[in-house]
Amino acid sequence: MSEKYDILIVDDNPQNLKVLGAILIEAGYGIHIAQSGEQALKAAETMRPDLILLDIMMPGMDGYEVCRRLKADALTEHVPVIFLTAKIEEEDVVQGLELGAVDYVTKPFNAAILLARVKTHVRLGVHQRLLFEQSNIDALTLLPNRRRFDSVLAAAWRKALHGELPLALVLLDVDYFDSFKDVLGSSEGDDLIRWLAALLDEAVLVSPHFLAHYGGKEFAILLADTGLQAAVEFAETLRLSVLDAEVAHPASPLGAYVTISLGVASLQAQAALDASDLVKAADQQLILAKQHGRNRVYPSP
Ligand SMILES: [Mg+2]
């Protein structure tokens, strides 16, 4: 294989791990192992394997539950899952496939069949990921687009419903962007949006939040487990970073440089509300930031 693909093997039986690992290593795959459902979820989220081989019968969290959680998490929903099952009852296999697994192999393993299925699904998975990325990445900034943002927000909201921690959202846009383009041209406008995308991308690397290009001159940053005060402070650091960069704006009534306005909202997810309520609340704050003079975070700390 010219490119090395990583496979996560999940089985509570060390002997199975050994046999599977040997077959896959021999075929040129990179191998990671987990011996429980909990370990599997953690490994899947951090290493993003190209494929997961998942035992169904495990003590504690079984393979069905692991699959359900993998598919409910935006970080892992697209990783193909093949079930390892000792049971050949059709009913069980159907249940597994309905949870989003792509295939299954029965124990004891036939190396040739196993490798054929692994190869097929790694290849399909790579194609699917490419398609997925093309429809979820904004071509101008190479950031996740609004469509991707909506699905990440929905997943984060579902997760937050079960917890105590709030979700926060920062919506921001460039002040007087139309005048900027009117004077410098739309190509310079594109450059400015790309520049801002890179600046924001670096800022979210430091504090791991989800950044998306919301469209046009607007960006969204979702902050999990974050209350209003912390979100406002984060937003303020973004505002200052843009200001401190001193990017020339030839037509801003606010001064010589490019500035941004930011709306911040934080909500405790609850059944009576919807994820879109968080967006509406942040959007309302962004409008207020504009109305109160721009180049500010609203509500101001
Ligand atoms: Mg087992």
Side-chain angles (χ1 to χ4, degrees):
M1 250 171 295
S2 55
E3 192 180 342
K4 188 149 183 164
Y5 296 107
D6 289 311
I7 299 182
L8 175 63
I9 315 173
V10 187
D11 201 308
D12 60 304
N13 180 334
Q15 186 57 29
N16 285 344
L17 291 173
K18 207 171 151 190
V19 171
L20 282 170
I23 294 172
L24 293 166
I25 288 168
E26 170 76 27
Y29 293 99
I31 292 302
H32 300 259
I33 58 173
Q35 282 191 275
S36 70
E38 289 81 2
Q39 271 184 21
L41 291 173
K42 202 171 287 176
E45 198 156 305
T46 48
M47 64 166 281
R48 313 274 184 89
D50 295 295
L51 182 89
I52 300 175
L53 292 173
L54 179 58
D55 185 27
I56 292 179
M57 301 296 285
M58 291 185 290
M61 195 188 298
D62 69 10
Y64 293 131
E65 182 58 24
V66 174
C67 187
R68 196 174 296 125
R69 294 196 191 192
L70 288 169
K71 296 298 160 185
D73 188 332
L75 286 176
T76 53
E77 63 179 327
H78 296 281
V79 181
V81 173
I82 295 180
F83 275 124
L84 306 172
T85 175
K87 304 184 298 178
I88 49 170
E89 292 93 342
E90 213 166 27
E91 210 175 294
D92 291 332
V93 169
V94 168
Q95 187 189 347
L97 298 181
E98 277 172 355
L99 289 173
V102 291
D103 212 338
Y104 64 97
V105 289
T106 46
K107 301 180 217 179
F109 305 113
N110 173 314
I113 290 178
L114 175 78
L115 286 175
R117 293 196 170 159
V118 164
K119 190 176 171 189
T120 298
H121 290 296
V122 163
R123 201 170 53 85
L124 286 176
V126 168
H127 283 295
Q128 218 160 32
R129 197 161 56 223
L130 209 63
L131 279 177
F132 170 78
E133 280 168 5
Q134 282 166 356
S135 60
N136 285 271
I137 296 286
D138 165 63
L140 176 65
T141 59
L142 300 182
L143 289 178
N145 59 17
R146 181 168 181 167
R147 170 196 169 115
R148 181 64 181 150
F149 173 82
D150 286 341
S151 83
V152 168
L153 173 63
W157 184 266
R158 280 195 301 273
K159 212 166 172 180
L161 273 176
H162 304 295
E164 310 268 294
L165 296 163
L167 266 183
L169 177 63
V170 177
L171 283 181
L172 64 98
D173 75 13
V174 179
D175 296 321
Y176 298 106
F177 184 59
D178 288 340
S179 339
F180 182 95
K181 281 194 300 184
D182 287 346
V183 174
L184 295 175
S186 58
S187 161
E188 291 283 327
D190 285 351
D191 285 347
L192 177 63
I193 295 301
R194 273 194 216 103
W195 169 79
L196 181 55
L199 179 143
L200 297 172
D201 203 25
E202 205 157 300
V204 297
L205 274 185
V206 178
S207 21
H209 306 313
F210 182 79
L211 165 69
H213 184 211
Y214 210 60
K217 57 177 178 168
E218 201 169 349
F219 293 85
I221 303 170
L222 185 64
L223 303 91
D225 305 344
T226 303
L228 187 62
Q229 190 55 40
V232 166
E233 282 165 19
F234 177 66
E236 182 63 13
T237 63
L238 299 178
R239 187 188 71 80
L240 291 174
S241 302
V242 170
L243 198 61
D244 291 347
E246 301 190 344
V247 174
H249 192 316
S252 172
L254 297 176
Y257 303 121
V258 166
T259 58
I260 56 173
S261 294
L262 308 94
V264 184
S266 177
L267 270 185
Q268 180 67 55
Q270 46 185 285
L273 296 172
D274 187 84
S276 66
D277 290 317
L278 182 62
V279 179
K280 277 182 215 143
D283 196 41
Q284 190 57 40
Q285 299 306 315
L286 176 55
I287 291 167
L288 288 171
K290 296 281 184 195
Q291 285 172 354
H292 285 80
R294 298 179 169 86
N295 184 27
R296 69 194 59 222
V297 175
Y298 213 90
S300 301

